[in-house]
Amino acid sequence: MNIHEYQAKALLEKFGVAVPKGAPAKSPAEFESALAQLPDGPIMVKAQIHAGGRGKGTFVDGFKGGVKFAQSKAEALEIAKRMFGNTLVTLQTGPAGRKVQTIYFAAPCDIEKEYYLAILLDRVTSRPVIVASTEGGVEIETVAHNTPEKIFKIYVDPAVGLQGYQVRQLAFKLGFTGDYFKNAIKLIAGLYRTWWESDATMVEINPLISAPGGRVLALDAKVAFDDSALYRHPEIVALRDLNEEDPKETEASKFDLNYIALDGNIACLVNGAGLAMSTMDIIKHFGGNPANFLDVGGGASKEQVQAAFKIILSDPKVKGILVNIFGGIMDCNTIAQGVVAAARETSLNIPLVVRLEGNNVVAGKKALAESGLKLETADSMADAAQKIVRLVA
Amino acid sequence: MSILITPKTKVLIQGITGEFGARHTRLSLDYGTKVVAGVTPGKGGQFFEHGKHKVPIFNTVAEAIAATGAEASAVFVPPAFAADAILEGVDAGIGLVVAITEGIPVKDMIKVKRAMVGSTTRLIGPNCPGLVTPGAGKDSNGGCRIGIAPGYIHHKGHVGVVSRSGTLTYEAVYQLTVRGLGQTTSVGIGGDPVNGTSHLDAIKMFNADRNTWGIIVIGEIGGNAEAEAARWIKENCTKPVAGFIAGATAPKGRRMGHAGAVIGGKEDTAAAKIAIFKECGIEVAITPSDMADALIRCAQAKGVKLA
């Protein structure tokens, strides 16, 4: 799960991480009261969407920049009005863009130097790793590639947690001294606590900055959480913004379906994540384009299959459906009944190819054949993919 | 022979009275697996009955091992309590823990992994289908099935299969079986970013197993476990190896069902992993329908029998 920048900063503050003073507004009526919380003078106006690249983004009406500097509160107010309700397109949003429904006003900082700091899981050691660099404000992948010596890593032993010496080591490597050093220590420790205590999968601060007076602050913040741990963090679940999710994905999650919208025209309905991924791959291999990833899970019911069909068909791009089920434990006949019921219920009028294999497959195929539905069956994944690609072309 | 488990392995089920655990315990008993004990705290002294089978239930793993000599445990405990269940098995000194549970918080697994340093217990999973060593009977009955894989698609033989994905493992096993190629053991290591046994661990075991003549390794986007395994294969493994990587069409940064299947860095992509496989002499399946055939091609090129 992802959250907005303003939410991430509020969370970081709770863990003692210094951030520039800011205030969010969720409607134009809140603009003035939000601005009133900040000191007079220049203001940063930041459109809140989950995608990155906001600063370089463009709104659909031609207004440029989702992160803007205003000389005064009056100007900030004008900019916020242009942004709110408008749709921002960035490199990460895709051409459709995202509607801006929250504006974040922040006091600008005099930046002395920019750094990078992230905390994530190191899969090789199965430990949290803190990655930091003296090169902030740029793509960290580029830094890692061109100047790997400027990247520092600290692995945390989960048995004892982040140790003071490790934080000091990192702060020294980043070149902090005096008050900057003291504040950097506090900030790094706070970021780690945020990661660990809120079950985050990633905390990324780019840039982390030093500012006059020995200050060290998180100027931007990206935090993502482990979906599997949300059950023990109601305070984080409360930050979920459904406006940022594809409505089809939200609907799918209600039925315990794992759905991800893609941009092709062949919908897939598959059991198992690995098989679902490779079904997308094989469609592509034979020249087609998958419209989605959809895993109905290991023990899908008839109701789930019906719900899955409705979600798939709510995507207007879909021109054909491929059902690929390897019924290990799952009964192929149950799936077949679900497919038949769903096709009838939705008055399906686009090509449907069904590949069933495994448990009770004979009964399943019989149910499909006797349904009178216009569908094709297939004997293997390759056969199924070729058929649906041909039918959709 | 086989790896990790044999038809004689004595199995205990943690969470035997839960709906999921009970269902798969029945299927394992039907398959002929020696399920000797169940553990459900508070239900010690009761029995899990299925047909002619009467499996004693214990309050703790330690008691179950002491009473029955169980050698391997399957964890069917809900996600919030699964890490605790795994560690109970580890503390009781059981040789093998197979964690089927999906959705265990990453932080819990980080702690489990750390707590297991120095332990003699091997963990498979979590979020995995488990493992099957097929038996000699009809539909491979008489084998050892720990987890949720369909037993009947297997066939006793000489190919080892290791995969992060459940249904993709079944796909590979089924392709082998219909071509008359049996398996020594199929191992699902699970789709989570922190897991107990890696591709490489399983491959080392298959390489050392005299009865395994060829190996299918199935990977997916995310992490570098496949690359690590491939480089080891290049240096150390003389057996034919075929590979498949799922997720060539996955968009960057999205979690594709499995918690571990996210493209983060450059080396995470399917294309990068496929390139490494090829470079290391692994025959890459062009599509998921090609996994068994890829292994056959590789075996023929090496002049090695698979059955």
Side-chain angles (χ1 to χ4, degrees):
Chain A
M1 193 190 110
N2 296 307
I3 56 175
H4 289 294
E5 175 201 357
Y6 78 93
Q7 296 168 320
K9 285 188 175 162
L11 180 71
L12 292 177
E13 265 193 306
K14 270 195 232 163
F15 288 96
V17 175
V19 299
K21 194 164 171 46
K26 290 179 186 176
S27 72
E30 293 174 19
F31 287 168
E32 300 213 19
S33 58
L35 281 166
Q37 296 172 41
L38 301 177
D40 283 324
I43 298 280
M44 294 301 296
V45 186
K46 306 175 106 176
Q48 299 293 291
I49 58 170
H50 281 183
R54 290 173 296 158
K56 291 184 181 134
T58 304
F59 289 89
V60 284
D61 66 353
F63 188 67
K64 284 209 180 329
V67 177
K68 292 187 82 93
F69 178 82
Q71 292 292 352
S72 64
K73 283 186 175 176
E75 192 189 341
L77 194 61
E78 288 313 306
I79 293 172
K81 283 179 187 162
R82 291 292 303 266
M83 288 180 175
F84 194 89
N86 206 340
T87 300
L88 179 60
V89 180
T90 79
L91 276 177
Q92 290 182 18
T93 59
R98 295 271 176 80
K99 195 170 175 188
V100 176
Q101 284 162 319
T102 303
I103 304 289
Y104 187 52
F105 298 104
C109 288
D110 292 325
I111 300 171
E112 289 179 339
K113 182 166 168 49
E114 295 185 315
Y115 304 82
Y116 174 93
L117 197 146
I119 305 170
L120 34 124
L121 166 72
D122 178 62
R123 291 176 59 154
V124 176
T125 57
S126 299
R127 291 180 178 203
V129 60
I130 304 179
V131 182
S133 173
T134 49
E135 307 301 296
V138 291
E139 284 252 323
I140 195 66
E141 289 82 2
T142 316
V143 181
H145 186 260
N146 298 336
T147 49
E149 72 281 1
K150 288 182 176 165
I151 296 212
F152 311 111
K153 288 184 182 176
I154 284 186
Y155 296 88
V156 182
D157 182 341
V160 292
L162 182 64
Q163 297 297 296
Y165 78 88
Q166 294 183 299
V167 184
R168 292 195 297 276
Q169 237 169 35
L170 187 61
F172 281 128
K173 278 186 181 156
L174 292 172
F176 289 113
T177 54
D179 283 345
Y180 294 100
F181 178 81
K182 277 185 213 152
N183 287 321
I185 294 280
K186 189 168 171 237
L187 179 133
I188 296 167
L191 289 174
Y192 182 76
R193 278 185 54 220
T194 311
W195 191 89
W196 183 254
E197 288 176 27
S198 49
D199 276 290
T201 51
M202 183 188 68
V203 171
E204 187 183 45
I205 310 299
N206 192 19
L208 175 75
I209 60 155
S210 54
R215 295 197 299 155
V216 180
L217 308 102
L219 194 62
D220 196 4
K222 230 195 271 177
V223 182
F225 302 93
D226 178 6
D227 292 344
S228 299
L230 288 177
Y231 74 89
R232 57 190 178 202
H233 294 286
E235 79 286 4
I236 287 161
V237 175
L239 302 177
R240 187 171 172 191
D241 183 352
L242 291 177
N243 291 319
E244 288 290 329
E245 295 175 22
D246 186 313
K248 295 192 293 297
E249 294 178 14
T250 310
E251 182 68 14
S253 67
K254 285 185 205 156
F255 292 91
D256 273 331
L257 300 168
N258 217 325
Y259 174 93
I260 293 173
L262 301 168
D263 48 17
N265 58 4
I266 298 177
C268 348
L269 188 163
V270 190
N271 66 327
L275 199 63
M277 258 192 282
S278 28
T279 303
M280 289 159 41
D281 297 344
I282 201 166
I283 287 172
K284 193 103 179 173
H285 177 80
F286 288 111
N289 223 338
N292 64 274
F293 166 93
L294 174 57
D295 170 15
V296 295
S301 65
K302 196 175 150 194
E303 290 68 34
Q304 276 181 307
V305 174
Q306 284 174 269
F309 255 77
K310 282 188 206 150
I311 292 161
I312 282 173
L313 290 170
S314 67
D315 179 350
K317 295 192 302 293
V318 169
K319 298 282 178 273
I321 303 175
L322 171 55
V323 174
N324 180 20
I325 300 291
F326 199 106
I329 301 306
M330 190 195 277
D331 189 328
C332 286
N333 194 23
T334 308
I335 296 295
Q337 308 272 358
V339 168
V340 170
R344 289 221 175 99
E345 198 185 349
T346 55
S347 317
L348 188 74
N349 58 1
I350 54 172
L352 168 66
V353 174
V354 183
R355 184 264 179 150
L356 288 180
E357 197 52 76
N359 198 6
N360 210 5
V361 66
V362 180
K365 284 189 175 167
K366 192 160 165 258
L368 291 176
E370 287 172 357
S371 69
L373 287 170
K374 235 184 92 191
L375 58 83
E376 290 208 29
T377 56
D379 293 326
S380 70
M381 279 177 79
D383 184 30
Q386 282 167 296
K387 277 184 174 152
I388 192 68
V389 169
R390 182 167 42 74
L391 288 167
V392 166
Chain B
M1 272 303 288
S2 52
I3 68 164
L4 294 161
I5 52 171
T6 75
K8 289 182 182 156
T9 302
K10 291 182 194 160
V11 179
L12 85 82
I13 312 286
Q14 288 177 259
I16 195 167
T17 51
E19 190 198 332
F20 191 40
R23 181 155 164 243
H24 286 285
T25 301
R26 288 193 284 272
L27 288 165
S28 286
L29 287 167
D30 291 342
Y31 191 63
T33 303
K34 309 263 175 296
V35 179
V36 297
V39 170
T40 298
K43 293 196 178 170
Q46 300 179 17
F47 289 88
F48 179 87
E49 298 192 44
H50 175 58
K52 62 180 179 12
H53 303 284
K54 204 173 170 194
V55 181
I57 300 174
F58 299 88
N59 282 325
T60 68
V61 173
E63 280 169 26
I65 295 172
T68 65
E71 302 153 289
S73 167
V75 174
F76 282 96
V77 173
F81 314 104
D84 179 73
I86 294 169
L87 288 177
E88 186 183 353
V90 171
D91 187 56
I94 200 159
L96 180 68
V97 174
V98 183
I100 306 303
T101 310
E102 176 176 1
I104 303 178
V106 172
K107 189 165 83 178
D108 294 8
M109 283 311 302
I110 291 175
K111 289 185 193 167
V112 165
K113 188 102 179 181
R114 178 64 178 86
M116 285 184 69
V117 171
S119 151
T120 53
T121 301
R122 170 168 291 285
L123 172 66
I124 306 267
N127 187 15
C128 78
L131 51 170
V132 175
T133 286
K138 182 177 180 288
D139 291 338
S140 78
N141 262 50
C144 183
R145 169 188 184 270
I146 301 182
I148 58 173
Y152 69 93
I153 59 167
H154 291 77
H155 183 68
K156 188 176 160 67
H158 301 284
V159 178
V161 179
V162 55
S163 166
R164 278 208 242 166
S165 146
T167 38
L168 212 45
T169 314
Y170 314 159
E171 183 76 38
V173 165
Y174 183 73
Q175 285 174 22
L176 288 166
T177 296
V178 297
R179 283 164 181 75
L181 300 179
Q183 305 88 41
T184 42
T185 304
S186 71
V187 185
I189 58 171
D192 276 6
V194 177
N195 64 4
T197 294
S198 66
H199 278 101
L200 178 55
D201 297 331
I203 284 163
K204 282 181 178 170
M205 289 184 263
F206 281 131
N207 193 48
D209 175 37
R210 276 189 300 124
N211 244 337
T212 300
W213 299 345
I215 302 166
I216 292 182
V217 47
I218 304 167
E220 61 191 32
I221 52 167
N224 71 338
E226 292 86 350
E228 179 196 32
R231 290 188 178 115
W232 188 89
I233 288 168
K234 188 182 179 184
E235 299 300 322
N236 303 287
C237 183
T238 52
K239 297 179 183 183
V241 182
F244 177 72
I245 301 287
T249 46
K252 195 176 175 205
R254 295 300 306 267
R255 164 176 158 165
M256 305 305 283
H258 287 159
V262 182
I263 298 176
K266 267 186 235 148
E267 296 276 302
D268 275 8
T269 63
K273 292 187 185 194
I274 289 168
I276 294 167
F277 269 19
K278 285 185 176 161
E279 180 192 305
C280 295
I282 296 170
E283 179 73 23
V284 175
I286 303 154
T287 71
S289 280
D290 185 45
M291 292 187 284
D293 289 334
L295 182 64
I296 293 169
R297 286 199 297 276
C298 187
Q300 277 168 351
K302 290 191 176 213
V304 174
K305 279 198 316 172
L306 292 172

